[in-house]
Amino acid sequence: MKKLLFGIALLIPALLGAWEKEVLISTPNTSLLLSAPQGEELKFVYYGDKIDEAQVSQIYDAGLAINKAAYPVFGTESVYEPALIVQHADGNMTLDMQVTGVERENTDQYELVKVMMQDKVYPFGVDVYYKAFKNSDVIETWTQITNNEKKPVKLQKFASAYMPVRQGDVWISHLHGAWANESKLEVEPLKRGMKVLKNKDGVRNAHTDHAEVMISLDGVPSEENGRVIGAALCWSGNYDLTFDTDDTNFHGFFAGINPDASQYSLAPGEVFVTPELALTYSDQGVGGASRNFHKWARNGKVYNGTKQRDILLNSWEGVYFDIDEPRMDQMIKDIASLGGELFVMDDGWFGGKYQRLTDNSSLGDWVVDEKKLPNGIDTLVAMARNSGIKFGIWIEPEMTNSVSELYEKHPDWIVCHPKRTARPGRGGTQLVLDLSNPEVQEFIYNIVDDLMTNYPEIAYIKWDANMSIGDYGSSYLKGDKQSHLYIDYHRAFRKIMERIRAKYPDVVIQACASGGGRANYGLLPYFEEFWVSDNTEALQRIYMQWGVSYFFPSVAMASHVGSSPNHQTGRVMPLKFRFDVAMTGRLGIEMQPKNMTEQEVEFSKKAVETYKSIRPVVQQGDLYRLISPYDNKSVASLMYVTPEKERAVFFAYKTYHSYAQVLPRFKMNGLDASKNYRITELNQDADALSGLDGKIISGAVLMNEGIELPLKNEYASHVLELNEVN
Ligand code: GLA
């Protein structure tokens, strides 16, 4: 009854067009407070630990109410950085927005709050949305911009969100990288002036910087202590995250599509929806904020985020372009005999008139190369089936080469202004297809649709994208719409993925883009996982995977065992170390298994079997980062713990080796102090055991005192499984 009354109480103010001035939006442990007085500006008041309605006044009483515009627009307080700049058809550059209504919608999963605003003079509206999840501490926020004027309005800047952050000892942690060196962690204090993280690639947005950031409010970021706000822009294209520290007491944080060269002409009646900015807050350091993101991601933001992932062999580093039936047959049989569950045939399988022998031709000609595979893909699928495993395939649908039948037929389908000559990329011939063109969208959808129709048993698609937009321009877009290309490209990409998902909900799709160029929440709603990097060297991967784990869950992190010497760095390292690193994510193998020694085959078989047993903990457990490789302590360590805390898997690695080193103890985290745990050493190396196998130790000791590990040799590592003893 009480519940019912509450429901009516919520509905009535909305119906009457009157509502509480204070708009409180909460998740299980966090709250965001707005002030939305009718006819006035929407204000951002508070974001932090959860408060209830009765505590709202305390925020004001304590002087904590920020009271700055929640979505600042250009034109009235022009000296400050705005989130939105538009030019009306009459040339007027200004906006003056007032709140006209607040609506709330409740489901089992989330509460959606919509604050409606209208310009005081122009028929121009902005609705600000807040989606507060009920099973994770994430609030997604975005805007919907509506032009009800008679002529087009030009959008010049259109951030998804703005958030004022009180100055103090505020630090940011974000990721930066390049091909084969992705997602390196950068940690820095926020100083006066502007800090801008932006990307202009056009296609991939996780090389250079990333569209995610952690904001530590209480000084130098700590893994488990202090207040942290995490922000992730859910957009696969160019983005702009800006911190503007002006003469107020605040850092202004803006996040949205990068408006550079992207002025958007909004037609009368047209609605522009900005991508979601996912915000989280934790008082348990960056570790707490990461766990919040992971939970939210697994529960919906990553496609099939709670589904178990298969262990696979990918053919790329094993054979590169030298695909043929005997090699595929051998690799399928080898991964099956190692206990793997899926084989993925990478680049090199296609091409009709032009054979794809290297990276300089045939993209777009998605027909089987009958010289390499005379019996076609059906035979390979059958080989996999007969070996008891699944089959997957590589495609790069958004691209073509100037040497291809597709380009010969449709030279106007590429990204490039018709008055310019395109400068090709990879292989000296690669070109990007113009996704703003509906014919191209249809073509791309059909690549997947044809493959899945012809070979319905395809269980996995590696979707690659190996080029940026260099020569800006479109043969399809009209003159006044040329500046829509960056945005329309990614809207079309999303539309294509929606169609694919509607028809093929079960095929697993990996986002790959020259390695890790597409780790972002704009596309993960359609992809199960992303490839972290083309650098498969385990030591480098410790750093990259550490960075990625700030924002992305392990279930989405494709992590493969590479060769030794490693193909990217040339480093020689033991198979155990390579497995121990790859086993912290979605395990795969990226090498030619036939080159393994008998001993290595035996080790791999056991490791694959072991991974299967710990997979639920690694892929779905809570991550605790224990010792950062960036702290230069010569070791790195992390662990995964089940929500019930009855099972955990601990990983430790030597990252730097020298004589007479004093290594730190390894203090665990996330366990139940009152429980006892039996330790089992996994992936054992008989010559370098931890000495902990079979020991029973309490959660309290493991967390407060930690454990000693020998880690005597270069590339030493340990994996320990912990099980509660009753
Ligand atoms: C990109 C990917 C690699 C591989 C090659 C194939 O570089 O990142 O994993 O698929 O393309 O050409």
Side-chain angles (χ1 to χ4, degrees):
M1 186 61 186
K2 204 172 153 209
K3 229 178 174 180
L4 190 68
L5 280 178
F6 183 64
I8 292 169
L10 273 180
L11 263 177
I12 289 170
L15 288 176
L16 295 180
W19 57 92
E20 290 293 319
K21 176 174 149 300
E22 306 307 325
V23 178
L24 184 62
I25 302 158
S26 295
T27 67
N29 300 294
T30 73
S31 289
L32 192 149
L33 180 63
L34 303 164
S35 164
Q38 181 157 25
E40 292 177 37
E41 193 179 37
L42 176 67
K43 295 269 172 58
F44 185 103
V45 179
Y46 166 85
Y47 182 43
D49 273 324
K50 186 166 189 165
I51 53 169
D52 58 26
E53 299 282 350
Q55 290 166 314
V56 164
S57 58
Q58 296 179 13
I59 296 296
Y60 286 93
D61 292 346
L64 300 175
I66 292 175
N67 266 328
K68 287 172 80 74
Y71 193 67
V73 294
F74 180 79
T76 44
E77 285 189 286
S78 314
V79 290
Y80 293 111
E81 191 67 18
L84 181 66
I85 307 177
V86 310
Q87 184 168 28
H88 303 278
D90 64 4
N92 185 351
M93 293 284 299
T94 69
L95 283 170
D96 192 357
M97 307 301 295
Q98 58 180 334
V99 174
T100 56
V102 176
E103 282 177 7
R104 287 179 183 261
E105 177 198 332
N106 258 291
T107 73
D108 292 347
Q109 302 293 316
Y110 57 81
E111 183 184 31
L112 185 64
V113 178
K114 173 165 125 180
V115 181
M116 292 164 285
M117 305 189 294
Q118 281 292 326
D119 187 88
K120 289 183 180 162
V121 175
Y122 289 80
F124 185 87
V126 177
D127 297 336
V128 189
Y129 285 85
Y130 300 88
K131 187 178 190 181
F133 287 85
K134 293 190 174 165
N135 59 0
S136 63
D137 285 312
V138 167
I139 298 174
E140 292 176 7
T141 176
W142 69 94
T143 55
Q144 189 168 298
I145 302 164
T146 308
N147 174 20
N148 286 320
E149 298 179 25
K150 293 213 169 66
K151 291 202 175 138
V153 170
K154 288 180 195 142
L155 307 185
Q156 297 189 349
K157 187 180 178 190
F158 30 85
S160 292
Y162 161 75
M163 181 177 55
V165 176
R166 180 67 162 82
Q167 281 193 51
D169 196 3
V170 177
W171 288 59
I172 58 168
S173 312
H174 56 103
L175 307 178
H176 186 89
W179 179 77
N181 187 31
E182 287 92 342
S183 304
K184 292 290 176 68
L185 186 63
E186 298 281 339
V187 181
E188 56 190 301
L190 262 188
K191 298 262 175 71
R192 298 254 160 133
M194 273 201 182
K195 173 76 189 175
V196 181
L197 305 171
K198 70 179 175 186
N199 161 286
K200 295 183 169 191
D201 185 279
V203 176
R204 310 153 301 180
N205 71 8
H207 283 141
T208 65
D209 283 295
H210 264 242
E212 306 88 33
V213 62
M214 293 287 189
I215 309 164
S216 295
L217 308 180
D218 297 316
V220 180
S222 148
E223 195 54 43
E224 298 299 333
N225 296 302
R227 297 169 305 144
V228 174
I229 293 171
L233 185 74
C234 308
W235 180 240
S236 55
N238 296 351
Y239 57 83
D240 183 334
L241 308 186
T242 294
F243 290 91
D244 176 38
T245 306
D246 54 31
D247 55 1
T248 67
N249 286 345
F250 296 89
H251 303 286
F253 173 60
F254 298 83
I257 292 175
N258 184 347
D260 292 353
S262 287
Q263 174 167 284
Y264 208 92
S265 169
L266 200 62
E270 196 182 345
V271 176
F272 187 95
V273 184
T274 60
E276 315 90 87
L277 176 72
L279 291 171
T280 191
Y281 167 85
S282 172
D283 59 6
Q284 288 160 36
V286 280
S290 294
R291 286 187 289 280
N292 289 350
F293 274 133
H294 297 169
K295 197 166 174 197
W296 158 78
R298 286 194 303 261
N299 286 323
K301 205 64 182 179
V302 167
Y303 192 77
N304 270 338
T306 53
K307 205 167 164 190
Q308 177 172 291
R309 307 299 201 245
D310 290 328
I311 301 163
L312 64 86
L313 169 68
N314 186 52
S315 70
W316 181 240
E317 289 195 23
V319 298
Y320 291 102
F321 291 100
D322 295 336
I323 280 178
D324 61 23
E325 198 175 290
R327 284 190 178 100
M328 296 301 96
D329 186 30
Q330 166 256 313
M331 290 184 111
I332 287 169
K333 289 192 174 122
D334 282 352
I335 185 61
S337 80
L338 291 177
E341 298 152 325
L342 167 71
F343 171 72
V344 182
M345 177 168 66
D346 207 287
D347 198 351
W349 61 268
F350 54 93
K353 179 171 161 191
Y354 302 103
Q355 249 200 316
R356 182 138 168 114
L357 300 174
T358 179
D359 60 4
N360 63 6
S361 74
S362 321
L363 293 171
D365 304 345
W366 300 105
V367 291
V368 182
D369 179 343
E370 287 172 356
K371 290 198 192 90
K372 291 181 183 177
L373 301 170
N375 300 304
I377 291 176
D378 278 325
T379 306
L380 302 181
V381 173
M383 284 170 173
R385 189 192 320 121
N386 294 337
S387 296
I389 64 168
K390 298 173 195 166
F391 183 81
I393 199 163
W394 178 97
I395 48 176
E396 197 179 353
E398 298 149 82
M399 305 287 160
T400 189
N401 294 102
S402 54
V403 183
S404 72
E405 291 174 77
L406 179 72
Y407 183 69
E408 284 170 356
K409 238 186 279 162
H410 299 289
D412 58 331
W413 276 14
I414 61 159
V415 170
C416 185
H417 193 275
K419 289 191 180 146
R420 302 280 177 206
T421 308
R423 269 154 290 203
R426 190 181 186 200
T429 57
Q430 187 157 334
L431 301 159
V432 182
L433 291 176
D434 178 4
L435 268 67
S436 71
N437 182 340
E439 282 182 353
V440 172
Q441 295 166 20
E442 194 61 25
F443 170 77
I444 292 178
Y445 171 77
N446 284 331
I447 296 169
V448 174
D449 195 32
D450 289 349
L451 269 179
M452 296 304 297
T453 306
N454 294 334
Y455 318 107
E457 281 179 73
I458 287 180
Y460 180 104
I461 290 173
K462 176 172 174 178
W463 181 304
D464 211 338
N466 287 308
M467 206 180 144
S468 356
I469 289 178
D471 296 287
Y472 188 94
S474 163
S475 301
Y476 173 77
L477 293 170
K478 300 262 172 344
D480 61 340
K481 300 273 170 67
Q482 283 290 316
S483 59
H484 291 199
L485 178 62
Y486 284 139
I487 295 172
D488 284 0
Y489 185 102
H490 287 275
R491 285 182 165 172
F493 180 41
R494 199 180 268 211
K495 226 168 73 187
I496 294 165
M497 294 316 297
E498 265 160 19
R499 271 181 86 190
I500 290 173
R501 278 315 186 186
K503 188 154 177 200
Y504 303 107
D506 296 326
V507 64
V508 174
I509 314 184
Q510 179 190 74
C512 174
S514 311
R518 271 188 169 168
N520 70 69
Y521 282 115
L523 53 78
L524 279 172
Y526 313 101
F527 291 76
E528 272 86 350
E529 60 175 37
F530 57 88
W531 182 224
V532 176
S533 175
D534 273 350
N535 188 340
T536 51
E537 194 238 77
L539 184 61
Q540 302 297 306
R541 277 296 189 110
I542 290 175
Y543 290 84
M544 290 189 248
Q545 295 176 180
W546 191 271
V548 155
S549 82
Y550 265 50
F551 306 99
F552 301 99
S554 51
V555 73
M557 184 176 86
S559 178
H560 295 182
V561 176
S563 314
S564 177
N566 179 268
H567 290 195
Q568 289 76 39
T569 64
R571 274 211 186 92
V572 172
M573 45 183 65
L575 188 62
K576 171 177 164 52
F577 187 75
R578 288 179 271 149
F579 260 103
D580 287 358
V581 172
M583 277 165 75
T584 60
R586 195 278 286 135
L587 177 67
I589 297 178
E590 188 82 26
M591 59 192 282
Q592 175 49 284
K594 79 168 188 197
N595 296 340
M596 286 182 179
T597 64
E598 236 172 79
Q599 245 182 342
E600 286 177 331
V601 168
E602 279 322 300
F603 183 90
S604 304
K605 274 187 187 165
K606 259 198 224 144
V608 165
E609 198 188 317
T610 299
Y611 182 77
K612 285 179 187 166
S613 80
I614 60 169
R615 173 161 50 185
V617 187
V618 169
Q619 295 188 356
Q620 296 296 322
D622 291 324
L623 169 69
Y624 290 85
R625 289 181 295 256
L626 305 173
I627 302 177
S628 169
Y630 291 92
D631 284 351
N632 297 324
K633 292 188 174 152
S634 304
V635 292
S637 179
L638 55 94
M639 67 193 289
Y640 294 100
V641 186
T642 61
E644 299 75 27
K645 302 187 182 293
E646 92 293 5
R647 224 182 145 201
V649 186
F650 164 96
F651 298 86
Y653 312 103
K654 188 88 171 271
T655 50
Y656 176 74
H657 181 65
S658 74
Y659 187 72
Q661 276 175 297
V662 180
L663 300 179
R665 285 180 170 166
F666 294 80
K667 285 191 191 178
M668 298 197 186
N669 204 347
L671 299 171
D672 183 335
S674 66
K675 287 186 169 148
N676 284 317
Y677 295 91
R678 172 176 284 109
I679 297 177
T680 310
E681 177 152 20
L682 307 177
N683 292 353
Q684 290 191 9
D685 170 358
D687 299 327
L689 293 170
S690 67
L692 285 152
D693 190 50
K695 300 276 161 44
I696 296 176
I697 306 177
S698 72
V701 168
L702 292 169
M703 292 193 291
N704 298 334
E705 297 296 333
I707 54 172
E708 292 275 5
L709 289 172
L711 294 170
K712 286 215 176 68
N713 308 317
E714 181 148 48
Y715 307 127
S717 56
H718 293 289
V719 184
L720 306 174
E721 182 181 347
L722 284 78
N723 282 293
E724 181 187 354
V725 187
N726 289 315

